[in-house]
Amino acid sequence: MRKITKEQVEDLAKLARLGLTDAEKTSLAREMTVILEYSMLLDEVDTKGVQPTSQTTELKNIFRKDCKVISDIDINEKLQNAPVKEKSFIKVKKVLE
Amino acid sequence: MANRTIIELNNKIEQKTITPSQILQECSQEIDRAEDELNAFVTVLPKESLEAAKKSGKRAELGKRLSKLDGIPVGIKDVFCTKGIRTTASSKMLDDFIPIYDATVVKKITDAGAVMIGKNNCDAWAHGASTENSDYGVTKNPWDLSRVPGGSSGGSAAAVAAGECLFSIGSDTGGSIRQPAGFCGVVGLKPTYGRVSRYGLIAMGSSLDCVGPIAMTTEDVALILEVIAGHDEKDATSLNLPVPKYSDKLTKSIKGKKIGWVNEFYETGLNDEIIKALEAVREVYASLGADFIEIKLPHAKYSIPVYYLIQPAEVSSNLGRYDGIKYGHSAAKSENLIDHYFRSRDEGLGAEAKRRIMLGTFVLSAGYYDAYYKKAMQVRTLIKQDFEKAFESVDIILAPVAPTTAFKIGEKVDNPLQMYLADVFTAMVNLSGNPALSLPCAFDKQKLPIGMQLIGKHFEEETVLNFGHQYEKATEKVVWRNNKTVI
């Protein structure tokens, strides 16, 4: 496997909207390379035709009735943890410049 | 309160020889005495617990106790939402987060009358095997204060071992209940995936996360599981199955039952004293009439690479919600919306969370998805099939909990991969979804607890608890059971 470069770390951080310091970028490139190299162990496993597993207890899709859900939690309470508010809204910076 | 059990205290409350307030007082004294050093709690709730204990005492007087847990002090790992009580996930990102609802497990525990005494420390976001990733300082191991208690539910296990509470509710994504229970000499259960509702648990790896108890004995664990297990509409993956009365099934004989033994587990890197301890466990079970059958789990050795691809992928998705907008840390200064995300996440998240977000983003990104993520999910299938095949010939599997006993604080912090390998015997069980119990079976020469793990078939917590209890009964009189923590 090729090494994870600092540039690659920067590209991934952009996708993840994650601010990183220069030192963090350098150490992440090194650590990710080591961890991903270790995961290459899986190359020796023949997985041809094997179905992937993401659910272990054989549940199938669970549906609920498509109806209005009435919450007993008051709107102000719902907003109590929001950093910036205006009236009963969460305030964000401009989305379209 | 160290070494006392829920069963014992429940009887005393029933007989009116002790009151919930007296029990709480004893636990609070332990907290006052030990907490500066131990650091097993992020938040202690003196006022709230006093109030709850008083109410519980009234119920006891009137003969109207809600359950056997009524009046018993409990710690809750700080990854479960508690209405009106700060919930941090041990991350500065949620330093001032006050949930507006209770996690289902919290509601069930408090509805049963248990007295919430505080929120237990853990690795931030439950990422880690030592609690060293907590933004609120490391928890120390009550058997040796220079060592880690394990993780991520390290605060829960340490608090129970030190007698600060009688039990704690933890979460286990790759071993986070079982490994700290093993390091601290207490009992921890990871139930079958979905047995206990995840609603209100701050999500880490959603296909792996399990909620379970940590307590002093298997009997206590059975009692707690009866209260917290069951279907919950609010968690679509919770199991819609009847909940057995686990505490009634503990005394069944295990004569003629078959226990699986995996030779490969003892071949690489496992410390000699742990091997000896597990061999002694084998003799105990043989004396109880159980038969050992050698089984193979050929793909178990791939569980760490599989786990450390799937879990970061799920982490990177689950931590996506912490954007500094809706709740949690928000950057004081930012140039625009995108910059606000970058800065809030940079400032609020620690090194391990960042590492996992980055790994997860990598394995899910176009061009790498098939080679890493899909491959890992396919090997996960093979690991699960290994267990299914093994359970055709055995009732239960005996395994180590961790490759070592509690390690020194600082020993593994600079080497993430070394830290990840602490999960080598536990993560495979999260990948397959099976239930597994961790309980103490010996002490090593350094006077540190050694844990053993009992892995059961899907949905058969009953069998796992039965085997655990039988082992405890058979070894009731062994000398190490009288060992005392150093705090």
Side-chain angles (χ1 to χ4, degrees), chain B residues 366-428:
Chain B
Y368 297 104
Y369 180 93
D370 281 359
Y372 291 95
Y373 186 63
K374 189 176 166 207
K375 179 84 182 180
M377 292 210 296
Q378 287 174 310
V379 182
R380 182 178 191 179
T381 305
L382 299 174
I383 292 170
K384 186 169 176 265
Q385 287 172 350
D386 282 355
F387 276 102
E388 284 161 4
K389 187 146 182 288
F391 280 121
E392 283 171 13
S393 52
V394 298
D395 298 291
I396 202 156
I397 296 169
L398 175 65
V401 177
T404 64
T405 50
F407 46 87
K408 290 267 185 194
I409 292 169
E411 191 180 317
K412 294 179 198 265
V413 282
D414 295 327
N415 191 336
L417 186 57
Q418 268 321 104
M419 190 71 93
Y420 295 172
L421 289 171
D423 298 334
V424 64
F425 297 115
T426 45
M428 58 186 179

Side-chain angles (χ1 to χ4, degrees), chain B residues 9 20 46 133 144 197 204 262 301 308 317 321 389 395 419 432 438-439 462 487:
Chain B
L9 292 171
N133 292 331
D144 176 345
S197 169
M204 174 179 162
V262 187
K301 63 178 173 199
Y308 277 96
S317 309
R321 71 189 58 145
K389 187 146 182 288
D395 298 291
M419 190 71 93
S432 68
S438 160
L439 66 162
E462 195 179 310
I487 193 141

Side-chain angles (χ1 to χ4, degrees), chain A residues 20-56:
Chain A
L20 297 171
T21 64
D22 210 50
E24 283 177 321
K25 287 175 192 166
T26 309
S27 60
L28 275 167
R30 192 185 60 237
E31 289 159 0
M32 288 174 69
T33 301
V34 172
I35 294 162
L36 292 169
E37 239 166 40
Y38 178 69
S39 77
M40 302 291 278
L41 264 179
L42 300 185
D43 284 355
E44 66 189 50
V45 187
D46 182 8
T47 49
K48 217 173 128 200
V50 177
Q51 284 299 311
T53 291
S54 55
Q55 216 287 326
T56 51

Side-chain angles (χ1 to χ4, degrees), chain B residues 74-96:
Chain B
V74 57
I76 304 283
K77 184 180 183 181
D78 211 14
V79 290
F80 293 98
C81 286
T82 43
K83 189 176 178 182
I85 295 166
R86 182 170 82 134
T87 298
T88 66
S90 290
S91 168
K92 289 286 179 204
M93 176 65 95
L94 295 179
D95 190 48
D96 55 5

Side-chain angles (χ1 to χ4, degrees), chain B residues 309 312-314 316 355-365:
Chain B
L309 294 175
E314 296 185 13
S316 71
R355 196 176 292 131
R356 294 188 188 198
I357 290 171
M358 292 294 287
L359 273 170
T361 307
F362 175 81
V363 304
L364 292 175
S365 58

Side-chain angles (χ1 to χ4, degrees), chain B residues 273-336:
Chain B
E273 291 189 81
I274 297 179
I275 298 178
K276 272 194 205 130
L278 271 286
E279 279 167 354
V281 171
R282 192 175 160 148
E283 280 169 33
V284 171
Y285 277 123
S287 76
L288 293 172
D291 298 320
F292 276 84
I293 292 184
E294 201 195 312
I295 52 158
K296 295 219 179 295
L297 298 170
H299 298 92
K301 63 178 173 199
Y302 302 113
S303 63
I304 292 298
V306 170
Y307 178 73
Y308 277 96
L309 294 175
I310 290 176
Q311 172 260 104
E314 296 185 13
V315 164
S316 71
S317 309
N318 277 325
L319 293 186
R321 71 189 58 145
Y322 300 101
D323 56 3
I325 304 282
K326 301 179 290 293
Y327 55 92
H329 175 77
S330 187
K333 273 190 203 152
S334 57
E335 283 159 25
N336 52 45

Side-chain angles (χ1 to χ4, degrees), chain B residues 433-449:
Chain B
N434 295 66
L437 183 74
S438 160
L439 66 162
C441 66
F443 276 70
D444 70 6
K445 288 194 195 91
Q446 292 166 299
K447 295 187 177 153
L448 298 169

